[in-house]
């Protein structure tokens, strides 16, 4: 192993990256653009749901019930609708996503102790948003029902409303959210985007860099040189690993400073794990480059084997534990899930290495295996 030859190959690769504007943009600009676009565009928060109300009762109690929805930060009130037909028009035109229809005799029924049935129409074209909207409606309606019942019992039994509320709630429930008290989805997604971008960018650059040598024929210079296979691969991959390491720092700053994601863990542990992950994903690019001959093929192959699994099986959108059994097996076979666990542990939970050392170990095994396979299959000279 000759260090001078490795430095010569790495220097040549760096010069090619810097001189090629497209390649330079792919290396430094695209990851940042992906972070900004996905960070702002990929939100799982369901708020400001546009809705309308049809109040057939028009009494103080019906207005009080309606104001509970109007005053909620989860809903955006479009105004009262005259009748059910106008509600259909608003829902069909996507102007409203939900509608509350308060029936006649709403107040009369409640005062007399009879139940009142309120109809809720929810746009179900997006199931996740519809389920979340239904949860909001149920929570607000439960709170309103409890207040109405407390008022009714208070008047009937001549006790205070507070006493009536205690009688209605024999078991009090207090919920406290850990690690993400505000339940902001961007605090969860922005750190995971580091995983996604570092899964896509290093393999993409590595595969293109190696295949470009084959496509342009410049790899023949390597064939006739004294550079060994290991020296060529180390010199070839090092610039991409270094670029990805720099990008990880930039993405970290975007996640914490631009999107405000809290970081509670150890910086040293996080970046050490990130370097291992970068080596792992660079190995994926090397392995892909061995089996393709053109840059177009390299782009297609790396996109398929990195982007799709990273989105679907890493836990960035759906927790792996919530996937079907077969999907969980796939997720455990891919490195993205293990780095996602590390990101969550470092950013949101702030726990020590004793909670994610297995993930680091598995990533290290992945990195070693991928680089070894890439070395094994890479041929300095083509077969005659």
């Amino acid at each position: 192993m000759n260090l001078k030859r490795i430095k010569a190959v790495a220097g040549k690769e760096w010069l090619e990256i810097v001189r090629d504007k497209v390649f330079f943009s792919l290396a430094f600009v695209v990851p940042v653009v992906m972070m900004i676009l996905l960070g702002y565009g990929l939100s799982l928060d369901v708020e400001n749901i546009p809705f309308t109300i049809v109040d057939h009762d028009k009494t103080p109690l019906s207005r009080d019930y309606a104001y509970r929805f109007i005053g909620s930060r989860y809903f955006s009130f479009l105004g009262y609708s005259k009748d059910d037909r106008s509600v259909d028009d608003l829902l069909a035109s996507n102007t409203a996503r939900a509608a509350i229809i308060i029936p006649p005799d709403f107040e009369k029924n409640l005062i007399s102790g009879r139940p009142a049935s309120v109809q809720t129409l929810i746009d179900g074209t997006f199931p996740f948003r519809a389920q979340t909207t239904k949860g909001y409606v149920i929570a607000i309606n439960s709170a309103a029902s409890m207040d109405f019942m407390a008022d009714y019992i208070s008047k009937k039994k001549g006790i205070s409303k507070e006493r009536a509320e205690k009688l209605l709630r024999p078991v009090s429930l207090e919920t406290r959210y850990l690690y993400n008290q505000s339940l902001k989805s961007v605090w969860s997604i922005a750190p995971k985007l580091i995983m996604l971008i570092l899964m896509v960018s290093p393999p993409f650059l590595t595969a293109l860099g190696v295949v470009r040598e084959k496509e342009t024929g410049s790899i023949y210079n390597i064939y006739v040189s004294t550079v060994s296979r290991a020296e060529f691969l180390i010199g070839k991959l090092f610039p991409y690993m270094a670029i990805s390491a720099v990008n990880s720092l930039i993405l970290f700053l975007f996640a914490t400073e631009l999107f405000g994601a809290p970081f509670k863990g150890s910086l040293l542990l996080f970046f050490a794990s990130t370097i291992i992950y970068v080596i792992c994903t660079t190995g994926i690019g090397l392995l892909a480059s061995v089996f393709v001959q053109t840059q177009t093929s390299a782009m297609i192959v790396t996109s398929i084997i990195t982007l799709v699994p990273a989105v679907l099986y890493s836990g960035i959108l759906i927790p792996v534990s919530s996937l079907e059994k077969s999907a969980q097996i796939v997720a455990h076979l891919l490195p993205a899930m293990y780095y996602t666990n590390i990101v969550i542990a470092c950013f949101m939970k702030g726990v020590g290495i004793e909670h994610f050392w297995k993930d680091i170990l598995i990533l290290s095994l992945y990195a070693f295996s991928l680089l070894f396979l890439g070395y094994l299959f890479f041929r300095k000279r083509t077969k005659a």
Side-chain angles (χ1 to χ4, degrees), residues 54-76:
V54 180
D55 187 356
H56 291 295
D57 196 42
K58 293 185 174 61
T59 59
L61 265 186
S62 69
R63 284 193 287 273
D64 178 58
Y65 182 80
Y67 282 136
R68 292 171 187 269
F69 291 91
I70 295 170
S72 169
R73 70 183 178 91
Y74 299 113
F75 292 95
S76 176

Side-chain angles (χ1 to χ4, degrees), residues 1 12 76 87 90 102-103 111 136 156 185 188 194 209 233 241 255 262 283 285 288 309 312 345 381:
M1 191 80 71
K12 167 185 164 295
S76 176
V87 167
L90 289 173
I102 302 173
I111 291 175
Y136 294 155
K156 279 287 183 184
S185 66
S188 172
I194 299 175
L233 288 178
M241 291 182 185
L312 298 181
R381 294 178 187 276

Side-chain angles (χ1 to χ4, degrees), residues 10-20 22-32 197-198 200-206 209 212 235-252 271 274-275 278-279 281-282:
K12 167 185 164 295
E13 193 64 25
W14 174 251
L15 285 177
E16 288 186 0
I17 294 170
V18 174
R19 287 172 180 171
D20 189 330
V22 176
F23 219 81
F24 186 84
S25 300
L26 285 173
F28 290 105
V29 180
V30 171
V32 172
I197 295 168
L198 292 181
V200 176
S201 178
F204 204 76
L205 293 172
T206 306
R212 184 173 56 181
K236 190 77 179 173
L237 299 185
F238 181 77
Y240 300 115
M241 291 182 185
I243 289 170
S244 300
V246 172
N247 280 337
S248 70
L249 177 61
I250 295 171
L251 296 174
F252 172 83
F271 281 108
T274 301
I275 295 298
V278 164
I279 295 172
T281 55
T282 305

Side-chain angles (χ1 to χ4, degrees), residues 248-321:
S248 70
L249 177 61
I250 295 171
L251 296 174
F252 172 83
L253 292 174
F254 269 82
T256 53
E257 301 301 322
L258 182 62
F259 296 110
F263 185 85
K264 303 172 183 174
S266 163
L267 275 174
L268 183 63
L269 266 178
F270 173 70
F271 281 108
S273 306
T274 301
I275 295 298
I276 296 172
Y277 182 62
V278 164
I279 295 172
C280 181
T281 55
T282 305
I284 294 174
L286 172 63
L287 200 56
S289 69
V290 171
F291 299 102
V292 296
Q293 300 300 321
T294 65
Q295 294 185 66
T296 305
S297 305
M299 286 190 287
I300 295 172
V301 170
T302 51
S303 299
I304 292 173
I305 64 176
T306 59
L307 186 60
V308 177
V311 172
L312 298 181
Y313 300 103
S314 65
I316 189 172
L317 296 176
I318 303 172
V320 173
S321 57

